[in-house]
Amino acid sequence: MRAGFVGIIGLPNAGKSSLMNHLIESRVSIVTPKPQTTRRRVLGIKSSNDYQIVFVDAPGVLKNQKGLNRFLEQEALSVIQDSDALLAVISLDTETREQAAEILDLCAQSKKPWVLVISKVDLVKHFSRKKAIQGLAEGRKGLVKILDFSTDWKSEGKEEIFETLVPFLPASEKPLYDLELFTPHTVRELSVEVVREKCMEILEKEIPFQMAVSLRKFEERKGKKPEIYMDLIVAKDSHKPIVIGRGGQIIKKIGMKARQEIESLMDESVVLKLEVVVKENWSENKNMMKDLGYVVE
Ligand SMILES: Nc1nc2c(ncn2[C@@H]2O[C@H](COP(=O)(O)OP(=O)(O)OP(=O)(O)O)[C@@H](O)[C@H]2O)c(=O)[nH]1
Ligand SMILES: [Mg+2]
């Protein structure tokens, strides 16, 4: 069989996580309309009798950043390094040629085979950009193929993406992961991401970009609903009342929406308890970043 890792690379908001979820037919990676939604690599697995593709959804590529964004930049670059092949995702609503070229340059420099996926092709008002994106990519080192993609597609395109990638994966005696798995992440890890997704969706301005979510306790007792305690970490005192909202209405909304999704993930009812914790400027503090799993070199 052939088995290996395919990194999904692109600008923030290009539709990378949406593409991965679509390919593996599961909602593993969180998706929101805001950029910088994905913060750490997320793995999604597509298995068949003779291949296993482990997709690695990366944060959007950002350049020359500091703090949390520096982590996102390093994480995206290390996903490129660790992959056998790449899916470069460039959406029709990419703002400038320079931004698209940045991603294509990274792929060409990676010395890995890569497939360009032009995403959000349902955005007809930007359709004229398709030719320009193709033109920018053609002739670059390592380019295998150019494909289109839109999340409103049913099954079209999926098989073609798999068939194109498989020949570039290393031969392997056995699969890398259990054939039944669609992700190696635990329910706990996925639950934390669900809560972060709801924070990104519900909160505005700079607040969600300066938040982190951490699991404090996950209590499972016989005959009782699991109790999940999470901290919503904010960077400033002034953010705390905003996340809580008048009479607690905002945090209740985050909790309610997240709980419903966690319940469908776990296939049982749970109790979800959220608390807002201030960690002053956590993204500028190496130790606090590390505690939250954002290790910057
Ligand atoms: N119209 C349209 N919107 C899409 C499509 N794919 C994704 N989107 C939307 O684009 C936004 C960003 O999607 P994501 O999948 O989170 O993008 P991403 O590249 O993972 O973003 P980051 O993790 O922030 O880098 C969301 O609002 C999606 O619903 C598509 O094919 N068509
Ligand atoms: Mg993403």
Side-chain angles (χ1 to χ4, degrees):
M1 94 178 308
R2 290 190 176 274
F5 295 90
V6 173
I8 306 184
I9 299 299
L11 294 165
N13 211 41
K16 302 176 292 301
S17 302
S18 304
L19 171 65
M20 185 176 83
N21 290 346
H22 195 86
L23 292 174
I24 64 165
E25 294 175 39
S26 304
R27 254 179 66 80
V28 166
S29 203
I30 62 170
V31 169
T32 82
K34 295 192 178 76
Q36 279 130 273
T37 294
T38 306
R39 286 194 183 161
R40 248 190 302 265
R41 66 188 71 191
V42 179
L43 276 57
I45 306 169
K46 166 69 190 177
S47 300
S48 83
N49 289 336
D50 47 10
Y51 69 79
Q52 183 171 65
I53 309 175
V54 183
F55 290 103
V56 186
D57 179 23
V61 171
L62 299 157
K63 283 219 159 154
N64 308 320
Q65 302 283 334
K66 53 183 189 133
L68 178 63
N69 285 348
R70 170 119 188 91
F71 172 82
L72 302 187
E73 180 188 356
Q74 288 184 351
E75 182 73 347
L77 297 179
S78 92
V79 166
I80 297 180
Q81 272 185 358
D82 298 343
S83 298
D84 298 302
L86 302 171
L87 275 182
V89 181
I90 303 209
S91 62
L92 276 193
D93 61 353
T94 305
E95 275 166 23
T96 66
R97 289 170 72 90
E98 287 71 25
Q99 287 176 326
E102 224 169 75
I103 301 301
L104 300 169
D105 284 344
L106 271 178
C107 291
Q109 288 156 11
S110 71
K111 303 200 176 98
K112 317 245 164 162
W114 54 282
V115 173
L116 169 61
V117 175
I118 301 180
S119 62
K120 308 193 189 181
V121 292
D122 55 298
L123 298 179
V124 282
K125 67 175 176 186
H126 295 309
F127 210 69
S128 59
R129 294 186 190 172
K130 204 175 139 193
K131 272 228 154 69
I133 298 171
Q134 282 168 336
L136 271 179
E138 275 159 3
R140 282 184 202 246
K141 205 169 159 218
L143 174 66
V144 175
K145 206 177 208 178
I146 302 178
L147 300 169
D148 289 358
F149 174 75
S150 162
T151 44
D152 62 13
W153 287 4
K154 294 282 177 285
S155 60
E156 310 104 280
K158 252 191 289 207
E159 283 305 323
E160 192 174 6
I161 293 181
F162 302 147
E163 278 165 23
T164 309
L165 291 169
V166 168
F168 297 99
L169 303 182
S172 171
E173 277 185 13
K174 49 182 197 310
L176 300 163
Y177 295 94
D178 192 9
L179 288 175
E180 260 79 72
L181 277 187
F182 55 87
T183 183
H185 301 292
T186 61
V187 167
R188 293 174 191 213
E189 289 170 321
L190 298 177
S191 303
V192 171
E193 283 290 272
V194 167
V195 173
R196 209 165 57 71
E197 180 182 63
K198 301 308 159 204
C199 293
M200 295 283 292
E201 275 173 11
I202 291 165
L203 297 161
E204 292 301 330
K205 301 205 178 113
E206 81 279 14
I207 292 172
F209 299 103
Q210 296 180 15
M211 277 179 82
V213 178
S214 105
L215 180 71
R216 187 151 31 91
K217 202 162 60 168
F218 194 113
E219 249 177 24
E220 282 176 296
R221 274 191 246 133
K222 249 198 171 154
K224 279 185 77 179
K225 290 183 191 175
E227 290 187 4
I228 309 172
Y229 296 79
M230 291 195 206
D231 291 338
L232 307 184
I233 295 158
V234 294
K236 292 191 177 110
D237 274 331
S238 61
H239 290 177
K240 187 170 177 173
I242 301 172
V243 175
I244 294 171
R246 191 177 295 166
Q249 62 176 357
I250 301 288
I251 196 167
K252 272 187 206 147
K253 190 169 168 193
I254 295 169
M256 197 186 69
K257 290 199 154 195
R259 181 178 51 77
Q260 287 168 348
E261 263 184 53
I262 294 170
E263 287 178 339
S264 80
L265 206 68
M266 295 183 49
D267 217 8
E268 64 178 321
S269 312
V270 300
V271 177
L272 177 63
K273 297 199 172 165
L274 303 179
E275 193 178 319
V276 183
V277 175
V278 183
K279 289 196 178 172
E280 201 69 39
N281 296 326
W282 61 268
S283 69
E284 286 161 32
N285 179 314
K286 251 189 164 175
N287 289 331
M288 285 200 254
M289 283 274 284
K290 204 172 159 190
D291 280 348
L292 293 165
Y294 303 121
V295 181
V296 187
E297 277 148 31

